Amino acid sequence: MGQIKVLDENMINMIAAGEVIERPASVVKELLENSIDAGATRITVSIEDGGRKLISVADNGCGMDAEDLARAFEPHTTSKIKNSADLHRISTLGFRGEALASIGSVSQVRAVSRAKDSLTANCIEIDCGNKGPVSPCSGDYGTTIEIRDLFYKLPARRKFLKTANTETGHITEVFIRIALANAALDMTLLSNGREIYRLSGKDGLGRRIADLFSTELSQDLIETESEEKGLHILSLIGGSHTSRTNNKFQYVFLNGRFIHDKFISHAIKEAYRGIIEPDRFPVVFLFIKLPYEDYDVNVHPTKIEVRFFNSNLIHSQILGVLRQKLLGTNIETPVKLPAKDSDHTTIAGRGNQNITDAMAEFFKRHRPAHSQQQISFPSSSSGTEHRTFHEKHTPYTIYNTQYDKKFLQIHDNYIVAQTEDGFIIVDQHALHERIMYENLRRRMAAGSLESQKLLIPESFEITDTQAETIENNSELIEKLGIELAAFGPKTMAIQSFPSMLSKVSPIDFVGDLIDLLENKELSIDAQRLLDEILNMAACKAAIKAGQKLNDREIEQLLADGKTVECAGRCPHGRPTTIKFSMSELEKQFKRT
Ligand SMILES: Nc1ncnc2c1ncn2[C@@H]1O[C@H](COP(=O)(O)OP(=O)(O)OP(=O)(O)O)[C@@H](O)[C@H]1O
Ligand SMILES: [Mg+2]
C-alpha cells in the first residue's frame, strides 16, 4: 500500500511560506518590494500590534487589473521574469512569484488594486488559502494590501512571534533598509496609528539618513563615489567616533537590494584596520551598482544573499575605495559635553575617563579665584589676552609655537593645545605611535629600513625552532634593517639595527619579533604580518606615556602629527586627539 501522497496546493504554499514568511517583518518586506517593483513613488505602511493584528501597505504604483489581481495570489505567478534567460539578469526585487501566494496561505488578506488606465478598482479576499472572487470596488490608483492575523491557523508559528515591541523593531528595520535604498520615495510608517517615520523623497540621501537615524550621524559621514571596472560604489562612511559594538549599522545595497555578504563585510573590516579599535564596527552605508549579469540573486529564499561571479573584484574595489578615503581623511574625535546644570563636568565618550579626570582637575586648579565665571578661551586673534590670563593664573608655562598655537603637557601624558576654534588634547604616545608607524610604513614601501651597525653586537640564545623561524623569515628580517649572525652553537648576535628605532632596545625588539613570527596565524598574509611588525616597532619607538617632554619636543610632535595620514587614530584604532570646540565650551559655561 503506497504511503506517499501528493500534497494539496494549499499545503505546498504553507510549506513554502515557512521559508519566506518568518514573521510580520517578512510580510512588510515582500509587500514593500512589490510596491517598488510596481514603480510606486509613495508608499504608506501601517501596522497594529507589531504587525500581528494588521499590516497594510498602500502604494501608488502601476496597480493590477482584475485578471492579474486574481492571479497574483496563485503560486508561481509573476510578471517579472518570462524565461530562463531572464533569471540571469534580474533587475527587479522580486522574481520568484511566490510571496503573495505564501502570505495568502497563512493569513487573512484583502487586496484592492486599480491599474493606471482603469476606471475602477478591484478587490479580492483570501482566508488562509481560500480565495474569494474578484469584485469591483472603489479605490485610488495603485495597490493596497491588508494582512490580518498572520499565522492565525498556525498556532505553533504564532507562538514563536515575539512581543509587539520586538516585532515592530523588526518591521522598522525592514522599512529603514528599503527607505535607504530608495531615497527618492515618499515613505510613511505608522504603528497603532502613531507616525514613526514620514520621509519625503525630495530631500536626498543625507537628509534621509538624518531622518532615519540622526542629523549628527548624517553630518559625521564622509562621502565617496567611484566607478571602475563596471562597478559603481557610493559610500557614506563614519569615522571612528561613530563606531558601534555590532555591525547593525552596516547597510550594503546591491542595485537597490539590501544584502549581507561576507566578502563585503570583510572588505569593510579591512578598510578600517588601524582606524577603529578591532572590536568596534564602523557605520557604513554602501550603495553598489553592478550589471545584473554579474551576480546571481537566486541563491536564497529571502534574496538577502547573492553570489558574485567575481567576488575578488568586489572585495578589492570596496577595500581600495574605502581605505583610500579613510587614509586621506583626518578623522578627529570631537567631544560633546552634556549640557548639565551641575558643577561637575563630564566628558561623554568611551575610554575618556582618565582624560576627563585630568581635565576636570586642570580646570579646577586653574580657575581664577577672583572670577570663576569668566574663564575664556579667546580665538587666536586675541592671543595676548589669553597669554596674560594664563601667565596670571596658571603655574604652567604656555608656549608659543611658530604657528602661534599654545600648548602644555599635563600629567606627563597629554598635550593640551589651542586651535583656531577650541582646543585639542593629544595622547602623546598614541600620536607619536601613529607618526612612527606611518614613517616606518613609508620607508618599507620604498624598499627597506635604513640600518646602523651596533658598536657592540648584542647576543642572545635561541632554540632550534627559533633558529628555523629566523631562517624562514630571513628576507623580511633583512628588509627591516636587522642583521643577525651566528655567534656560537645556540647563540646569535644582532649586528645591525634600524636607525629609526634607535631608542628601542635591539634585544627586546628582536625577541618580540621572533615571538611574533613564531606565533603568526597560518592564514596571515605578508602585508598583514608586516603591518603587525611595524605596529610593534612603532609602539616601542614612540614617546611613552609618563614621559616629560620639553617644548621643542612637543612642538615637533604636533607638527609631525600634521604631516601623517590618519593622525586622528593610533595604529590600533584608538583616538590620538580629542577635539573640544569653542561652541561646546561656550555652552558649558552658559555663554550662549
Ligand atoms: N503592489 C503591487 N502593485 C502591482 N503589482 C503587484 C503588486 N504586488 C504584486 N504585484 C504583482 O503580483 C505578482 C506576484 O507578486 P509576488 O510578490 O507573489 O511575486 P514576485 O514579486 O513576482 O516574486 P517574489 O516571490 O520573488 O516576490 C508580481 O509579479 C506583480 O506582477
Ligand atoms: Mg514580490
Side-chain angles (χ1 to χ4, degrees):
M1 186 63 178
Q3 296 292 312
I4 302 175
K5 301 273 180 300
V6 176
L7 294 175
D8 69 38
E9 204 174 77
N10 205 24
M11 279 300 292
I12 294 172
N13 292 340
M14 279 168 98
I15 291 167
E19 275 196 323
V20 189
I21 308 301
E22 189 197 344
R23 57 185 348 137
S26 337
V27 174
V28 174
K29 172 182 178 286
E30 293 301 334
L31 296 183
L32 278 173
E33 289 188 349
N34 280 345
S35 297
I36 287 161
D37 283 345
T41 59
R42 194 181 63 241
I43 307 176
T44 301
V45 181
S46 184
I47 57 166
E48 280 175 29
D49 192 25
R52 293 184 299 192
K53 197 166 162 209
L54 172 78
I55 295 166
S56 153
V57 175
D59 69 50
N60 65 348
C62 65
M64 288 174 271
D65 62 19
E67 188 188 340
D68 278 352
L69 188 59
R71 200 167 275 168
F73 289 87
E74 296 289 326
H76 318 300
T77 52
T78 182
S79 58
K80 299 172 192 175
I81 55 170
K82 293 189 172 53
N83 51 46
S84 63
D86 290 345
L87 206 52
H88 301 298
R89 44 163 190 267
I90 289 161
S91 59
T92 45
L93 294 170
F95 65 91
R96 294 164 59 106
E98 63 175 17
L100 290 185
S102 296
I103 294 168
S105 71
V106 293
S107 63
Q108 287 187 344
V109 179
R110 181 168 195 270
V112 176
S113 194
R114 181 170 170 191
K116 280 263 180 295
D117 49 5
S118 174
L119 291 176
T120 58
N122 290 292
C123 160
I124 188 170
E125 288 186 8
I126 297 129
D127 182 3
C128 278
N130 294 319
K131 235 167 60 162
V134 172
S135 51
C137 67
S138 65
D140 277 344
Y141 291 113
T143 304
T144 298
I145 299 186
E146 288 173 359
I147 311 296
R148 281 175 204 280
D149 301 324
L150 184 67
F151 300 143
Y152 84 102
K153 280 194 181 163
L154 298 162
R157 307 261 342 243
R158 199 164 166 94
K159 216 171 62 194
F160 274 104
L161 297 183
K162 300 282 187 290
T163 62
N165 270 349
T166 306
E167 296 301 339
T168 304
H170 287 293
I171 291 171
T172 308
E173 182 59 23
V174 160
F175 181 91
I176 287 174
R177 291 173 184 176
I178 302 259
L180 284 169
N182 300 276
L185 242 61
D186 290 336
M187 290 181 68
T188 305
L189 174 63
L190 302 156
S191 172
N192 300 328
R194 197 172 60 86
E195 198 175 282
I196 300 186
Y197 290 117
R198 179 178 293 275
L199 309 168
S200 159
K202 292 192 186 68
D203 300 329
L205 184 57
R207 175 66 190 275
R208 180 138 297 191
I209 293 174
D211 287 347
L212 290 170
F213 302 100
S214 72
T215 311
E216 208 181 6
L217 176 84
S218 166
Q219 282 170 351
D220 277 343
L221 297 173
I222 321 160
E223 188 176 326
T224 167
E225 198 165 358
S226 77
E227 168 96 60
E228 220 182 301
K229 299 182 181 155
L231 183 66
H232 182 273
I233 303 171
L234 167 68
S235 59
L236 288 102
I237 53 179
S240 41
H241 53 283
T242 53
S243 70
R244 311 284 155 141
T245 52
N246 59 45
N247 65 356
K248 239 194 97 211
F249 280 77
Q250 287 179 11
Y251 288 93
V252 178
F253 301 93
L254 172 65
N255 291 334
R257 185 190 305 281
F258 175 86
I259 57 162
H260 280 155
D261 184 82
K262 60 178 190 305
F263 288 102
I264 296 177
S265 303
H266 185 264
I268 294 173
K269 191 158 187 263
E270 281 295 289
Y272 275 83
R273 196 149 52 80
I275 291 167
I276 61 171
E277 289 151 70
D279 57 343
R280 306 280 298 173
F281 295 85
V283 173
V284 171
F285 300 95
L286 199 61
F287 300 86
I288 305 165
K289 282 195 195 134
L290 187 69
Y292 300 118
E293 296 82 1
D294 290 356
Y295 63 95
D296 186 1
V297 58
N298 190 18
V299 292
H300 193 277
T302 64
K303 308 162 197 119
I304 196 150
E305 285 172 19
V306 299
R307 192 181 294 125
F308 290 108
F309 296 137
N310 190 350
S311 44
N312 284 343
L313 173 82
I314 308 287
H315 184 274
S316 66
Q317 287 291 111
I318 292 173
L319 172 58
V321 168
L322 298 193
R323 185 83 184 154
Q324 196 184 8
K325 187 73 190 175
L326 286 165
L327 290 182
T329 312
N330 187 16
I331 309 158
E332 282 169 327
T333 305
V335 167
K336 299 269 186 289
L337 301 165
K340 271 195 181 174
D341 284 340
S342 90
D343 252 13
H344 301 284
T345 301
T346 54
I347 300 169
R350 295 169 326 103
N352 289 338
Q353 201 47 49
N354 45 359
I355 302 175
T356 313
D357 294 346
M359 287 307 297
E361 195 185 322
F362 174 74
F363 282 122
K364 228 188 297 165
R365 273 207 259 157
H366 307 299
R367 227 179 252 181
H370 60 280
S371 64
Q372 294 216 345
Q373 301 306 314
Q374 287 178 18
I375 300 177
S376 67
F377 288 78
S379 65
S380 48
S381 60
S382 49
T384 337
E385 188 191 326
H386 183 62
R387 201 157 42 245
T388 315
F389 165 78
H390 276 284
E391 277 163 7
K392 269 195 208 150
H393 303 290
T394 81
Y396 292 115
T397 321
I398 306 291
Y399 304 102
N400 263 324
T401 75
Q402 67 221 55
Y403 310 106
D404 195 28
K405 295 271 165 62
K406 297 150 199 80
F407 55 74
L408 73 153
Q409 185 187 29
I410 56 169
H411 292 269
D412 297 344
N413 213 347
Y414 302 107
I415 314 294
V416 182
Q418 182 177 318
T419 61
E420 304 247 305
D421 65 340
F423 68 96
I424 51 172
I425 303 179
V426 172
D427 178 326
Q428 61 189 42
H429 172 69
L431 178 61
H432 198 224
E433 203 178 1
R434 167 60 77 182
I435 295 166
M436 288 303 296
Y437 170 80
E438 290 299 331
N439 289 342
L440 287 164
R441 204 166 61 97
R442 219 175 295 151
R443 298 275 176 94
M444 283 302 275
S448 57
L449 297 186
E450 204 177 290
S451 74
Q452 210 174 19
K453 275 253 176 283
L454 296 185
L455 280 177
I456 306 160
E458 293 191 24
S459 60
F460 58 100
E461 290 192 356
I462 45 163
T463 63
D464 289 348
T465 353
Q466 286 173 329
E468 207 180 310
T469 306
I470 294 173
E471 177 71 31
N472 292 342
N473 293 283
S474 56
E475 210 176 304
L476 174 69
I477 294 172
E478 196 182 316
K479 259 186 86 150
L480 287 167
I482 299 169
E483 192 191 336
L484 301 174
F487 200 67
K490 284 200 184 294
T491 313
M492 289 203 102
I494 308 167
Q495 310 271 16
S496 307
F497 197 64
S499 33
M500 275 184 78
L501 304 181
S502 59
K503 296 220 166 65
V504 177
S505 145
I507 283 284
D508 284 356
F509 184 80
V510 171
D512 286 355
L513 176 65
I514 297 170
D515 269 1
L516 197 148
L517 293 172
E518 259 192 310
N519 298 321
K520 72 178 176 195
E521 303 160 37
L522 284 175
S523 59
I524 198 169
D525 61 45
Q527 191 54 45
R528 271 278 295 282
L529 176 66
L530 183 63
D531 229 47
E532 275 186 29
I533 296 170
L534 297 187
N535 258 320
M536 183 174 88
C539 183
K540 286 178 185 294
I543 295 167
K544 300 282 171 292
Q547 190 175 331
K548 195 169 269 320
L549 302 179
N550 63 35
D551 54 338
R552 212 193 52 77
E553 288 168 329
I554 297 177
E555 230 170 70
Q556 189 68 50
L557 177 66
L558 295 178
D560 287 349
K562 293 199 170 129
T563 64
V564 296
E565 284 179 339
C566 240
R569 296 267 132 189
C570 82
H572 312 287
R574 288 190 291 273
T576 64
T577 308
I578 294 178
K579 209 168 118 185
F580 292 75
S581 69
M582 278 304 284
S583 54
E584 277 296 334
L585 287 180
E586 276 160 8
K587 227 192 289 166
Q588 284 300 309
F589 288 109
K590 310 258 178 277
R591 286 181 150 261
T592 49

